[in-house]
Amino acid sequence: MKHFVSGLKIRTELQDEKGIATSKNHIGQLFYLQADVSSALDNLNAALAIRPKINDQAGAAVTHKNLADVFLFKQLYGKAKEHYRQAMDLKIEMEDYTGAAGSASFLGNIVSDLGDYEGALVYYNMSLDLNSSIEDLSSIAKDFNNIAEVHIQQGVLEEALEANETALGIRTK
């Protein structure tokens, strides 16, 4: 923390907006890891306020993801979903399909945990599509396993078995 705060002071003196946002983001992450949610949110929101002014989409995506993690920790699912969606949308715009697929998968996990299995399938299939576009076989297999778990929750066992067998076939290769 001491080093990030020192870096923030230097970046503030230099009027380095991107550096200030990055420092605030890192400080927010450390507060989150210490379970100081209020300080984490203060710093992450300060970082996020700077990002659009300097057209820092990559940084905004990271900060949205970090905010989503904090809200998920606090079990504020609506806010967590909102920030994961914004992170995912930014990553798609930047053609970071790996990052976008990760956000889609997180969204699938959240809505599945909330009992919205149809919504979970939408996000898991979105993750599957993104991972397929970059031919990430390990992640594709994981997506099929997630889809299988949702089908099990829905009681659609034949579809669950089919998705699980697809995952196994990919992993076997």
Side-chain angles (χ1 to χ4, degrees):
M1 179 70 80
K2 182 173 112 176
H3 295 290
F4 286 129
V5 171
S6 294
L8 176 60
K9 287 179 184 174
I10 292 168
R11 289 170 165 173
T12 300
E13 288 172 12
L14 296 173
Q15 298 179 353
D16 174 7
E17 292 292 313
K18 186 172 183 176
I20 292 168
T22 299
S23 292
K24 289 278 190 183
N25 185 75
H26 289 313
I27 291 167
Q29 283 181 293
L30 287 178
F31 277 124
Y32 163 65
L33 292 172
Q34 296 171 356
D36 183 346
V37 172
S38 178
S39 297
L41 289 174
D42 288 346
N43 282 280
L44 292 170
N45 282 320
L48 190 59
I50 296 169
R51 304 286 194 192
K53 293 183 214 174
I54 59 173
N55 197 27
D56 183 9
Q57 287 186 305
V62 169
T63 303
H64 276 296
K65 192 255 184 225
N66 292 336
L67 279 164
D69 291 343
V70 173
F71 288 124
L72 186 59
F73 173 75
K74 289 300 291 177
Q75 298 180 335
L76 297 170
Y77 301 111
K79 289 185 177 190
K81 288 183 343 186
E82 175 187 328
H83 285 285
Y84 280 127
R85 264 191 233 112
Q86 289 181 36
M88 181 181 68
D89 291 344
L90 286 168
K91 289 174 187 255
I92 289 171
E93 281 180 38
M94 296 181 304
E95 298 181 5
D96 174 5
Y97 300 126
T98 300
S103 293
S105 187
F106 271 113
L107 284 161
N109 294 342
I110 292 170
V111 297
S112 178
D113 289 346
L114 294 173
D116 178 6
Y117 301 122
E118 290 303 317
L121 286 174
V122 168
Y123 287 117
Y124 289 143
N125 279 307
M126 184 179 296
S127 179
L128 176 62
D129 290 344
L130 291 163
N131 284 319
S132 295
S133 74
I134 55 173
E135 300 178 5
D136 181 347
L137 294 180
S138 176
S139 295
I140 292 169
K142 180 182 171 190
D143 292 330
F144 275 111
N145 285 137
N146 287 335
I147 291 167
E149 287 181 28
V150 171
H151 287 315
I152 290 169
Q153 293 297 321
Q154 293 175 313
V156 187
L157 300 182
E158 285 185 31
E159 289 183 35
L161 182 59
E162 184 180 317
N164 197 51
E165 287 175 350
T166 301
L168 179 61
I170 292 168
R171 285 194 169 99
T172 302
K173 287 180 184 177

